[in-house]
Amino acid sequence: MTPGTRQAMAAAGCTGDAVPGSLWHQICEGSPQKYLENYIFPVLLPAMAEMLVEAEKEKCFLKKRTKFIACDFLTQWLYNQNPIRKNPQCKDFIEIPFVHEWLKEHPRPPIPLSLLLSDEEAATLIQSFWKGYRVRCDPEVQELRQWQKNLRESKDISKKVQEFWDKQESKVSILLGTLAHSFCVTPPDEVP
């Protein structure tokens, strides 16, 4: 055993007087291969198998980038499958106490929207933006938008609204007057 290994074992609490058969005895003096085979792999291999199933569901093998984070899945799965936990109810990754504390101190950047949307949702979103763009290119819609912009910029909005409705009413009265003359009907104002 090298001096560095002895120092690391001492720092970890391993001493030469470890009780035979105890976990510390197996860690400190047993074969690392046996420890891995007996303690680590029986827990980690089922978790990794579940992780691969979940990665396949998330299409990780088909796409270059996905929202699936393998370490987060493993953390959640191992936490929820831990037989020592007192509360057997499954928790989401964010709800795990030590994860919640870690993320308070080390917040993650938000996941890009392109990773959160399915292909169908993304296609619908792109199509709706394209249709909106095409509608906004319509000259009548541009005229309306310009009018709204001018309305917002003017200080006396109520006056502008009144002018608009006055103009609309004058158009309607001119139209009614034209219709009345074309049908040779006396306009309602001239009725005795």
Side-chain angles (χ1 to χ4, degrees):
M1 197 178 315
T2 66
T5 305
R6 281 192 204 105
Q7 288 175 348
M9 289 173 57
C14 298
T15 59
D17 57 346
V19 179
S22 70
L23 180 61
W24 283 115
H25 181 267
Q26 293 168 0
I27 292 172
C28 299
E29 296 179 13
S31 163
Q33 181 179 352
K34 287 183 182 177
Y35 178 76
L36 287 172
E37 290 172 354
N38 293 333
Y39 292 96
I40 301 296
F41 291 155
V43 175
L44 193 57
L45 290 178
M48 292 183 79
E50 287 294 321
M51 179 190 66
L52 289 174
V53 169
E54 188 67 24
E56 189 173 2
K57 285 180 190 173
E58 295 287 334
K59 300 179 183 176
C60 292
F61 305 119
L62 302 176
K63 296 181 178 181
K64 188 173 183 178
R65 292 179 56 206
T66 64
K67 65 181 177 179
F68 182 72
I69 302 172
C71 290
D72 291 356
F73 179 83
L74 283 175
T75 302
Q76 179 181 348
W77 194 89
L78 290 170
Y79 183 82
N80 287 330
Q81 301 300 320
N82 187 351
I84 298 174
R85 273 193 26 199
K86 294 175 185 163
N87 186 359
Q89 189 177 16
C90 291
K91 293 190 174 194
D92 287 336
F93 177 74
I94 302 293
E95 296 172 351
I96 299 173
F98 64 87
V99 172
H100 188 71
E101 291 299 318
W102 173 263
L103 291 176
K104 274 185 187 176
E105 296 173 16
H106 308 91
R108 292 180 173 176
I111 297 174
L113 185 61
S114 62
L115 298 179
L116 295 175
L117 296 175
S118 69
D119 292 343
E120 294 80 20
E121 291 170 330
T124 303
L125 190 64
I126 292 168
Q127 289 170 359
S128 67
F129 274 106
W130 176 251
K131 289 176 183 176
Y133 169 75
R134 297 291 298 171
V135 166
R136 287 187 296 274
C137 288
D138 185 9
E140 291 180 1
V141 174
Q142 284 185 353
E143 182 182 346
L144 175 64
R145 292 178 73 199
Q146 184 63 40
W147 179 82
Q148 288 174 337
K149 180 181 175 188
N150 294 340
L151 182 65
R152 281 191 301 268
E153 290 175 355
S154 75
K155 295 182 181 178
D156 193 6
I157 294 176
S158 61
K159 184 179 178 184
K160 279 282 194 184
V161 171
Q162 186 61 42
E163 287 175 9
F164 171 78
W165 286 113
D166 289 343
K167 194 185 290 185
Q168 294 299 321
E169 288 175 359
S170 68
K171 286 180 184 178
V172 169
S173 63
I174 290 171
L175 183 64
L176 285 176
T178 306
L179 288 174
H181 287 294
S182 64
F183 290 112
C184 298
V185 176
T186 310
D189 294 342
E190 299 175 7
V191 175

